[in-house]
Amino acid sequence: MEENPTLESEAWGSPRGWLAPREARGGPSLSSVLNELPSAATLRYRGPGVLPWGALEEEEEDGGRSRKAFTEVTQTELQDPHPSRELPWPMQARRAHRQRNASRDQVVYGSGTKTDQWARLLRRSKEKTKEGLRSLQPWAWTLKRIGGQFGAGTESYFSLLRFLLLLNVLASVLMACMTLLPTWLGGAPPGPPGPNISSPCGSYNPHSQGLVTFATQLFNLLSGEGYLEWSPLFYGFYPPRPRLAVTYLCWAFAVGLICLLLILHRSVSGLKQTLLAESEALTSYSHRVFSAWNFGLCGDVHVRLRQRIILYELKVELEETVLRRQAAVRTLGQQARVWLVRVLLNLLVVALLGAAFYGVYWATGCTVELQEMSLVQELPLLKLGVNYLPSIFIAGVNFVLPPVFKLIAPLEGYTRSRQIVFILLRTVFLRLASLVVLLFSLWNQITCGGDSEAENCKTCGYNYKELPCWETVLGQEMYKLLLFDLLTVLAVALLIQFPRKLLCGLCPGALGRLAGTQEFQVPDEVLGLIYAQTVVWVGSFFCPLLPLLNTVKFVLLFYLKKLTLFSTCSPAARTFRASTANFFFPLVLLLGLAISSVPLLYSIFLIPPSKLCGPFRGQPSIWAQIPESISRLPETTQNFLFFLGTQAFAVPLLLISSILMAYTVALANSYGRLISELKRQRETEAQNKVFLARRAVALTSTKPAL
């Protein structure tokens, strides 16, 4: 009975590759025992043939035995058949291992079945393709620099800007191939209808007659009227050709589908990061400390940037942990007070949003009445201001209310990441709902308030007296919104942000710091991008060159925001989790795409096209061109296309989709149960290690007495 403690203590006290400190050799402490665990050995490992971190020089007398053990381990590791990238070595050791075993790798690559070789070749080709596409991404180094200096939240804004630039470039390329090219290949487009040409739906004369002054030319450039109204910029320019009409409509659907797929792909990848960050698997500080470093970094600049990124991530974790602890210790009365404050603040937000929406509706309705006044017609500058009245009102509301929402969010007692989400929700609702109100006002003018029996809409199905080419008018409104948004961004940067920075340099002291200290407001900037992209999605069908204009705008915006960020802004005092941005920003972008699809689909299927302009003139609806084009196809093709719309195709497709969905859900549930079981096993193993270490220390402490 007395031999067991002695034997166990000797077994635990014997060194197994890691030497205990000199002062602890008489009896190992808890820390020395923990240092002998495999996890500690992994952390201290530096590569084959190299002593681990923490091996003291003063332990030379016992070094022969340790070095011999390391030599044996090294020989075993150098004969390891695993690829170099899978070994837990530094980059230099991996490179040496790969060069040493290059000939062996060639032999292994040539062995195996044909299926294995093709699978290996396909995997390597896929990896090389990903690396090539990653190298083609613009501004990669700039985004790393921004993330290291200002945090991952600010970097997410520029990453979203680059993603939207990709969407607009793809839309512009498709527009050029499916709209502009067929237009010019089919012959020179006809000119605008003359002033003497009339029809039951009135007359349409987009060109002004006589000599045009410079002020009028400037007005036409900013409003999209005059010489721009009958140009490839707008819908009315394109001639009524059957093939062009089909490609025009297919272009709109192709752009929407591509944007939807790319946004969903980005949202899913962001969702994975969000779920991992919100779970307890990766929010521990040990993950940031031991797993976040990239050992392949070269150069002091890259190392410092990575250090700053890890620093910002740790700051986010610490801030949110403090808030969670404060929320956990609240009493019932404090909880009731917090919820009461939240309810009152949300009522205030609803009241502000309602007032803003009514103002946008009023401004849009008054624009038509003010344009008919003789004083407005005589003064070009006043006429330009009246035409931009809805845009000015929307920009004013979007400029005033987001700072109010920003002041309200901290009073609700949420974490920083949750505050960002609520600010984004309220701001996106403000911006997108303002756009919806504007579209509703335009719909009210086009369809005579939905009354097809009204005097102005009875003949042609739309208000042909005030809007003879309503598609072009709708495109002009979106064009003005896009242009005014760009002018607003330039004005804010040149007239507010840079002067504040100059005032900070001219006025030393507290006043200068108060006036010049600025932070990059990620929620406002992101919502500005999503609002601009939603405007483009709404107006791209009626203004085909709008994606191209938005591409130029986003390139200018990137360099302007970069200059503003590094010149006038300081790092944020409070950061938020990057995973929240990676998931929530594409989700809001998806909401903008859904909102923009409603007026577009309504216009395609329900509102009659203009009878005097556009490729669909003379059709009862824009969609009517598709069945008419299908009727010209061979009978076999027609039968196949009509079969796709029958129940014989839809019901089996629905059943197969349901089965696949049920299988995916069951597979996800099984994976979830397996992950939960592995987590429990991990916790049990950790508890077992701690228990064994404490037991060993207790037995060692009783050794002198025995």
Side-chain angles (χ1 to χ4, degrees):
M1 295 297 293
E2 296 179 357
E3 295 178 358
N4 291 337
T6 306
L7 293 175
E8 291 181 4
S9 61
E10 291 177 355
W12 278 100
S14 62
R16 297 188 178 181
W18 306 114
L19 296 177
R22 182 178 300 274
E23 62 273 13
R25 290 181 187 176
S29 63
L30 177 60
S31 60
S32 63
V33 175
L34 291 177
N35 285 335
E36 296 180 3
L37 295 177
S39 58
T42 302
L43 292 176
R44 302 171 67 186
Y45 184 72
R46 294 197 294 169
V50 183
L51 286 176
W53 297 106
L56 303 178
E57 297 180 357
E58 61 183 10
E59 298 172 347
E60 294 293 339
E61 64 274 9
D62 296 328
R65 179 172 49 186
S66 299
R67 291 181 185 277
K68 183 178 180 180
F70 279 118
T71 303
E72 296 176 357
V73 173
T74 299
Q75 297 298 327
T76 304
E77 290 174 340
L78 290 177
Q79 298 175 1
D80 195 346
H82 293 288
S84 301
R85 62 181 178 181
E86 296 181 3
L87 297 175
W89 294 357
M91 293 299 296
Q92 185 176 3
R94 292 183 187 179
R95 192 177 295 111
H97 180 270
R98 184 171 61 252
Q99 294 175 356
R100 187 180 300 108
N101 299 327
S103 58
R104 189 189 65 185
D105 292 341
Q106 292 179 359
V107 174
V108 173
Y109 179 76
S111 62
T113 63
K114 291 291 185 180
T115 304
D116 296 337
Q117 294 180 11
W118 280 106
R120 192 182 300 110
L121 180 61
L122 181 62
R123 183 175 63 254
R124 293 188 177 183
S125 302
K126 185 178 180 180
E127 293 176 356
K128 291 182 179 180
T129 303
K130 288 183 177 180
E131 292 178 0
L133 293 176
R134 195 178 298 111
S135 64
L136 293 177
Q137 291 182 350
W139 309 315
W141 166 246
T142 303
L143 263 64
K144 290 182 180 178
R145 184 184 173 194
I146 291 172
Q149 188 166 345
F150 295 93
T154 306
E155 180 187 358
S156 63
Y157 164 80
F158 289 90
S159 177
L160 180 64
L161 177 57
R162 184 177 62 181
F163 175 71
L164 294 180
L165 180 64
L166 171 64
L167 296 184
N168 285 276
V169 168
L170 292 177
S172 302
V173 172
L174 288 176
M175 179 270 302
C177 297
M178 302 179 67
T179 303
L180 288 179
L181 194 60
T183 301
W184 296 108
L185 291 179
N196 298 326
I197 298 177
S198 61
S199 68
C201 295
S203 60
Y204 177 56
N205 183 24
H207 283 182
S208 57
Q209 303 296 325
L211 185 64
V212 179
T213 62
F214 175 76
T216 305
Q217 293 282 5
L218 182 61
F219 169 79
N220 293 336
L221 176 64
L222 295 177
S223 62
E225 299 179 3
Y227 62 92
L228 287 179
E229 188 170 350
W230 194 267
S231 67
L233 182 61
F234 292 109
Y235 165 93
F237 169 80
Y238 297 92
R241 299 169 184 168
R243 292 184 179 179
L244 176 62
V246 173
T247 57
Y248 194 99
L249 192 58
C250 291
W251 163 72
F253 284 108
V255 169
L257 181 61
I258 291 175
C259 292
L260 176 63
L261 294 178
L262 291 178
I263 294 173
L264 286 177
H265 180 267
R266 189 178 178 90
S267 301
V268 169
S269 60
L271 178 61
K272 295 177 182 178
Q273 299 175 9
T274 303
L275 293 177
L276 287 175
E278 294 297 333
S279 65
E280 297 180 356
L282 295 182
T283 53
S284 60
Y285 305 110
S286 60
H287 167 71
R288 307 292 180 191
V289 174
F290 298 118
S291 304
W293 188 255
N294 183 5
F295 288 93
L297 296 177
C298 298
D300 295 338
V301 177
H302 298 83
V303 170
R304 285 196 296 268
L305 286 176
R306 188 59 187 170
Q307 288 174 346
R308 290 172 185 162
I309 291 174
I310 297 176
L311 174 63
Y312 276 108
E313 291 177 352
L314 290 174
K315 286 176 62 178
V316 172
E317 295 290 344
L318 292 172
E319 289 178 0
E320 296 195 354
T321 301
V322 170
L323 291 176
R324 290 194 189 98
R325 288 178 178 176
Q326 292 176 356
V329 298
R330 287 175 185 161
T331 62
L332 182 60
Q334 292 174 342
Q335 289 281 4
R337 184 176 60 185
V338 168
W339 281 104
L340 179 61
V341 171
R342 291 175 180 176
V343 170
L344 294 178
L345 291 176
N346 280 280
L347 290 177
L348 176 61
V349 169
V350 171
L352 292 175
L353 291 174
F357 299 154
Y358 177 77
V360 173
Y361 182 80
W362 172 84
T364 308
C366 290
T367 301
V368 179
E369 299 178 1
L370 294 175
Q371 287 176 345
E372 298 175 354
M373 297 177 60
S374 58
L375 180 62
V376 174
Q377 296 292 335
E378 294 174 358
L379 299 176
L381 186 60
L382 185 59
K383 183 179 180 181
L384 180 64
V386 170
N387 284 344
Y388 270 90
L389 184 60
S391 303
I392 293 174
F393 198 91
I394 291 176
V397 168
N398 292 331
F399 185 77
V400 173
L401 288 187
V404 177
F405 297 156
K406 205 175 305 173
L407 294 175
I408 290 175
L411 302 177
E412 295 177 301
Y414 293 112
T415 61
R416 177 62 174 169
S417 299
R418 190 65 60 84
Q419 290 178 26
I420 295 294
V421 170
F422 276 98
I423 293 174
L424 282 172
L425 284 175
R426 290 160 181 168
T427 311
V428 74
F429 187 74
L430 171 66
R431 285 182 175 266
L432 298 184
S434 301
L435 183 60
V436 169
V437 172
L438 175 62
L439 293 173
F440 177 77
S441 302
L442 293 174
W443 170 85
N444 197 17
Q445 297 176 18
I446 295 170
T447 62
C448 302
D451 185 9
S452 58
E453 299 298 327
E455 181 181 357
N456 294 339
C457 298
K458 186 175 183 180
T459 304
C460 301
Y462 62 93
N463 192 353
Y464 66 92
K465 292 184 178 180
E466 296 181 1
L467 306 172
C469 186
W470 62 267
E471 296 93 344
T472 297
V473 173
L474 186 55
Q476 288 172 347
E477 290 296 329
M478 300 299 107
Y479 170 80
K480 287 186 287 187
L481 285 176
L482 180 69
L483 195 61
F484 190 79
D485 185 66
L486 176 61
L487 295 176
T488 303
V489 172
L490 292 174
V492 170
L494 298 177
L495 302 179
I496 297 179
Q497 293 179 340
F498 285 106
R500 282 183 60 182
K501 188 64 177 180
L502 293 176
L503 183 62
C504 177
L506 296 176
C507 301
L511 179 61
R513 290 193 300 269
L514 180 62
T517 303
Q518 303 179 64
E519 292 184 2
F520 193 81
Q521 303 297 334
V522 177
D524 296 344
E525 301 293 344
V526 167
L527 265 300
L529 292 180
I530 296 176
Y531 168 76
Q533 188 60 43
T534 305
V535 169
V536 171
W537 282 331
V538 172
S540 59
F541 185 82
F542 311 104
C543 183
L545 294 183
L546 207 59
L548 182 60
L549 297 178
N550 202 38
T551 301
V552 178
K553 173 192 170 183
F554 279 163
V555 172
L556 295 176
L557 190 63
F558 181 88
Y559 288 104
L560 178 63
K561 292 298 181 182
K562 175 187 172 184
L563 178 63
T564 304
L565 181 67
F566 286 103
S567 302
T568 65
C569 296
S570 59
R574 300 182 62 192
T575 57
F576 62 97
R577 198 187 302 275
S579 58
T580 302
N582 294 332
F583 169 66
F584 193 74
F585 291 168
L587 187 64
V588 177
L589 190 62
L590 193 64
L591 177 62
L593 180 62
I595 291 176
S596 63
S597 64
V598 174
L600 181 59
L601 295 176
Y602 186 88
S603 303
I604 291 175
F605 288 100
L606 296 179
I607 302 180
S610 299
K611 302 299 187 290
L612 299 174
C613 67
F616 302 98
R617 66 186 76 172
Q619 297 290 340
S621 66
I622 295 177
W623 179 254
Q625 184 66 46
I626 300 299
E628 183 178 336
S629 301
I630 292 177
S631 63
R632 301 193 188 100
L633 297 175
E635 185 176 358
T636 305
T637 307
Q638 294 184 35
N639 294 334
F640 175 74
L641 293 176
F642 285 125
F643 170 74
L644 296 180
T646 59
Q647 296 180 354
F649 176 78
V651 173
L653 181 62
L654 180 62
L655 291 177
I656 294 174
S657 302
S658 302
I659 293 173
L660 292 177
M661 186 178 299
Y663 172 75
T664 305
V665 172
L667 191 63
N669 291 334
S670 63
Y671 285 158
R673 289 192 295 269
L674 179 60
I675 291 173
S676 300
E677 183 65 26
L678 291 175
K679 287 181 179 179
R680 286 194 294 268
Q681 291 181 8
R682 184 188 63 182
E683 294 175 357
T684 304
E685 289 293 333
Q687 294 174 0
N688 290 341
K689 287 182 179 181
V690 174
F691 172 76
L692 291 175
R694 291 177 177 174
R695 182 62 176 168
V697 173
L699 293 175
T700 304
S701 63
T702 60
K703 180 179 178 180
L706 296 174

